[in-house]
């Protein structure tokens, strides 16, 4: 499984797999060892629902904020309980009840770091309404958290999703121009979408976001293997679609250069992710480094494709701590 995925010499590693092996490699739930595949999917969904319910009950927030005209173009924004009186606009400590009664424009002048999360689900499942895993641990440390929705398949195409995610980032920058940095995190399919933001030409968006860090978790960065799996049924990707939307290919063929070479990019994968997920993560991190990005690779021990995000509900989780250290060391 160590062969080149895209752009390397010889045949791509995934092309050497049988159809059955390829299907297995790109079915993350089959690699869970702590419980059965179906139970792992149910558990992940339930933890996400409970974390989102808790976040909405305990954090001051603005829910279903439109970042575009489409029905699916919404985001939930969660704020820390405290903000310094010295911040622009003089926003001091506010109760959740009082905060929710205030006009949204008040928060536009609040200088905070913003953490944006793009959920997974192979671009065909998942929702912002069950993805607020990390809200409580991060807001407790003064970080605003944005959970982004996008139009999943079959309603949305990959091209549309990539565009929506880029527009959501531009929206946050325009809405909160005094932010102390925007940090992007995506899981699985969401990691792919976050990676595509690295390649965005911001000219058409009329703003260059203050991007200060990326956390790409258990992602897929070369989409070509998925064309030949059952995951493609709702997506209807052609090879051309997959190539156009593969950040790995953009790095190795188009030689896309970083807007800010100092912006850190963490490419993380769970110990119990499949070998293909490991290969994709390692090769993408290596391609980023060759392209001039400040990229690092992390294999998180004792977690699978789902635990790696489920555990973000815990303040002492390894990935939670990496995220907080990256954000808070800037201040």
């Amino acid at each position: 499984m160590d062969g080149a995925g895209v752009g390397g010499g010889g045949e791509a590693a995934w092309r050497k797999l049988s159809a059955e092996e390829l299907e297995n490699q790109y079915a993350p739930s089959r690699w869970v060892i702590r419980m059965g595949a179906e139970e792992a999917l149910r558990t992940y969904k339930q933890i996400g629902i409970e974390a989102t319910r808790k976040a909405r009950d305990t954090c001051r927030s603005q829910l279903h904020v439109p970042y575009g005209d489409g029905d699916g173009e919404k985001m939930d924004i969660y704020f820390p309980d405290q903000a310094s009186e010295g911040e622009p606009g003089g926003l001091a400590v506010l109760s959740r009840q009082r905060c929710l009664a205030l006009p949204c424009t008040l928060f536009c002048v609040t200088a905070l770091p913003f953490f944006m999360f793009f959920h997974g689900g192979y671009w065909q499942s998942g929702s912002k309404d069950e993805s607020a895993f990390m809200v409580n641990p991060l807001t407790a440390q003064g970080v605003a958290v944005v959970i982004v929705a996008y139009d999943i398949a079959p309603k949305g195409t990959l091209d549309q999703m990539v565009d929506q995610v880029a527009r959501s980032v531009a929206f946050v920058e325009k809405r909160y121009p005094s932010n102390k940095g925007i940090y992007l995190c995506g899981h699985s399919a969401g990691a792919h979408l976050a990676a595509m933001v690295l390649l965005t030409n911001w000219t058409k968006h009329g703003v260059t976001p203050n991007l200060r860090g990326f956390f790409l978790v258990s992602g897929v960065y070369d989409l070509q293997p998925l064309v030949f799996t059952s995951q493609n049924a709702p997506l209807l990707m052609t090879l051309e679609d997959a190539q156009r939307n593969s950040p790995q290919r953009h790095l190795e063929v188009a030689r896309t250069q970083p807007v800010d070479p100092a912006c850190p990019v963490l490419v993380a994968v769970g110990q119990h992710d499949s070998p293909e997920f490991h290969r994709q993560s390692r090769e993408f991190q290596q391609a980023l480094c060759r392209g001039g990005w400040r990229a690092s690779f992390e294999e998180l021990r004792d977690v699978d494709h789902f635990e790696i995000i489920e555990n973000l509900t815990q303040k002492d989780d390894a990935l939670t701590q990496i995220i907080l250290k990256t954000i808070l060391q800037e201040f």
Side-chain angles (χ1 to χ4, degrees):
M1 303 301 287
D2 292 328
V6 178
E11 187 180 20
W14 63 268
R15 292 188 180 277
K16 301 176 184 178
L17 301 174
S18 69
E20 182 179 359
E21 289 172 327
L22 191 66
E23 183 74 20
N24 193 51
Q25 287 289 325
Y26 286 96
S29 61
R30 298 184 186 179
W31 296 84
V32 176
I33 62 175
R34 61 194 163 103
M35 59 180 66
E38 292 302 318
E39 186 180 359
L41 292 170
R42 287 195 302 270
T43 299
Y44 178 79
K45 183 181 181 72
Q46 188 58 40
I47 291 175
I49 290 171
E50 291 174 359
T52 302
R53 183 183 301 119
K54 180 180 178 181
R56 291 178 176 180
D57 287 345
T58 61
C59 295
R60 54 192 184 95
S61 62
Q62 294 170 13
L63 305 178
H64 318 304
V65 177
Y67 64 84
D69 296 329
D71 291 340
E73 296 176 354
K74 303 288 193 300
M75 60 175 60
D76 295 340
I77 310 173
Y78 299 89
F79 298 93
D81 285 338
Q82 296 184 356
S84 168
E85 292 186 28
E87 289 174 348
L91 181 61
V93 179
L94 295 173
S95 70
R96 177 176 178 271
Q97 290 75 18
R98 182 184 168 197
C99 175
L100 292 176
L102 292 171
C104 67
T105 52
L106 177 58
F107 295 111
C108 297
V109 295
T110 304
L112 293 168
F114 282 80
F115 177 93
M116 299 184 67
F117 181 68
F118 310 113
H119 67 79
Y122 264 137
W123 308 276
Q124 59 199 267
S125 65
S127 164
K128 72 174 178 60
D129 299 319
E130 53 191 49
S131 298
F133 298 92
M134 70 297 297
V135 166
N136 286 91
L138 267 58
T139 56
Q141 297 299 316
V143 180
V145 179
V146 181
I147 311 296
V148 180
Y150 51 91
D151 284 318
I152 58 176
K155 179 180 180 179
T157 66
L158 271 173
D159 292 295
Q160 290 170 330
M161 295 179 221
V162 169
D163 179 64
Q164 286 175 326
V165 165
R167 286 191 288 110
S168 76
V169 176
F171 175 86
V172 169
E173 178 64 35
K174 292 174 181 177
R175 185 178 178 92
Y176 305 103
S178 60
N179 69 76
K180 291 185 177 178
I182 296 175
Y183 299 81
L184 304 189
C185 178
H187 172 233
S188 197
H192 158 265
L193 294 173
M196 290 297 286
V197 175
L198 280 169
L199 312 171
T200 299
N201 180 347
W202 295 106
T203 304
K204 72 173 185 177
H205 297 282
V207 67
T208 300
N210 183 25
L211 295 172
R212 303 291 286 274
F214 287 75
F215 307 96
L216 309 179
V217 184
S218 294
V220 179
Y221 310 103
D222 171 19
L223 305 190
Q224 293 178 96
L226 293 171
V227 172
F228 305 98
T229 72
S230 64
Q231 305 294 350
N232 193 34
L235 297 169
L236 301 176
M237 272 193 301
T238 65
L239 270 176
E240 181 181 7
D241 295 330
Q243 292 169 353
R244 185 172 61 254
N245 288 292
S246 290
Q248 179 85 23
R249 181 176 176 84
H250 281 274
L251 290 176
E252 297 197 342
V253 177
R255 305 293 183 184
T256 307
Q257 298 296 308
V259 174
D260 179 6
C263 180
V265 181
L266 171 67
V267 184
V269 67
Q271 178 183 352
H272 302 303
D273 267 309
S274 76
E276 269 293 278
F277 272 81
H278 277 257
R279 179 189 66 78
Q280 288 240 8
S281 293
R282 286 189 179 277
E283 292 189 0
F284 189 59
Q285 183 263 339
Q286 292 165 0
L288 285 168
C289 290
R290 289 194 297 269
W293 269 270
R294 181 184 158 200
S296 60
F297 174 84
E298 187 83 27
E299 179 188 298
L300 294 168
R301 305 291 297 174
D302 301 321
V303 293
D304 55 48
H305 189 82
F306 306 98
E307 279 178 302
I308 200 169
I309 293 298
E310 293 171 3
N311 290 351
L312 290 180
T313 58
Q314 305 166 18
K315 65 180 181 181
D316 57 350
D317 170 65
L319 183 55
T320 305
Q321 288 300 307
I322 290 171
I323 290 169
L324 284 171
K325 181 178 179 181
T326 301
I327 297 174
L328 299 180
Q329 73 182 359
E330 299 281 337
F331 311 114

